[in-house]
Amino acid sequence: VLTNETDMAVIENVINQPDKVTISGKGDHYEVFAPDQRPNFVASADEARAIMSDLEADAKVRGRWFNSYPAGSAGTDSVPELTFVRGNAQLSGNGAGILVVTGTLNLSGNSSYKGLILILEGGNLTVTGGDSKIEGSVVIAKYNAMGNFSAPSVNISGGKVEFKANAERVNSALKTVNMRVLAVREN
């Protein structure tokens, strides 16, 4: 989900880098949403701040709030987890559920994540090595304490990453949090 045309150009540039990024599942599970069809939490930076605040509060209550990625306890296929990282995170090992990172998410090892990854606030994704696999969905939104969205950063300087769109993984991840349905869209 992108918030403007400039961000689309940034992402398309990254996708077009040969042998570094694979996007699979473009068929029925990949689409570009019109501005009026985007999820509410990316309609504005205020909405993104609000959902991040709700997710952070939920993570604290559950004991799932961290200062770095919790290797070995980031959820599994059978027990997906909400994992909230305040600051930067190095994706290590495997995980499943919802991962919220407020700084930079770095992929540098042979890791995988299944579910929904929200890189909110800091809005930075870097790939510096290894062979990572993400199955589900990734949302990147960059903003400060006040004001609108600014351009996210996606930097691939080594390794490679495979993004596979999977709506079932996202739906499973969403069941791990106490959120109400605000809209449903069918194709």
Side-chain angles (χ1 to χ4, degrees):
V1 178
L2 300 168
T3 58
N4 61 56
E5 294 299 318
T6 302
D7 294 350
M8 182 69 162
V10 169
I11 297 302
E12 285 178 344
N13 182 46
V14 171
I15 290 171
N16 290 328
Q17 293 180 19
D19 301 326
K20 291 188 176 181
V21 177
T22 302
I23 305 287
S24 48
K26 285 186 178 179
D28 296 333
H29 300 292
Y30 179 88
E31 60 186 304
V32 176
F33 292 101
D36 63 336
Q37 296 176 329
R38 292 182 187 134
N40 287 343
F41 74 93
V42 292
S44 72
D46 286 338
E47 291 291 335
R49 283 187 277 276
I51 194 144
M52 188 185 64
S53 177
D54 290 346
L55 289 168
E56 186 168 21
D58 192 8
K60 286 179 178 179
V61 167
R62 297 170 187 234
R64 301 291 308 153
W65 186 95
F66 304 93
N67 286 315
S68 61
Y69 188 78
S73 66
T76 63
D77 276 339
S78 58
V79 184
E81 293 278 2
L82 166 62
T83 303
F84 191 101
V85 178
R86 171 56 68 189
N88 299 333
Q90 169 78 37
L91 186 64
S92 57
N94 300 323
I98 297 178
L99 172 61
V100 182
V101 176
T102 66
T104 297
L105 176 62
N106 185 39
L107 308 175
S108 67
N110 296 328
S111 56
S112 72
Y113 197 87
K114 297 174 181 175
L116 176 61
I117 297 177
L118 302 172
I119 308 169
L120 302 176
E121 193 174 287
N124 298 309
L125 173 65
T126 64
V127 180
T128 57
D131 186 4
S132 299
K133 294 179 179 18
I134 309 284
E135 185 177 345
S137 186
V138 177
V139 176
I140 304 173
K142 186 172 188 166
Y143 51 87
N144 293 316
M146 303 291 291
N148 270 331
F149 291 116
S150 54
S153 171
V154 178
N155 182 14
I156 300 175
S157 61
K160 63 183 189 176
V161 61
E162 176 183 350
F163 293 99
K164 182 177 182 185
N166 187 322
E168 290 176 27
R169 292 278 186 202
V170 174
N171 289 331
S172 176
L174 290 173
K175 292 176 185 175
T176 66
V177 295
N178 301 323
M179 299 176 75
R180 58 188 165 91
V181 175
L182 298 176
V184 174
R185 179 171 186 254
E186 292 186 24
N187 289 326

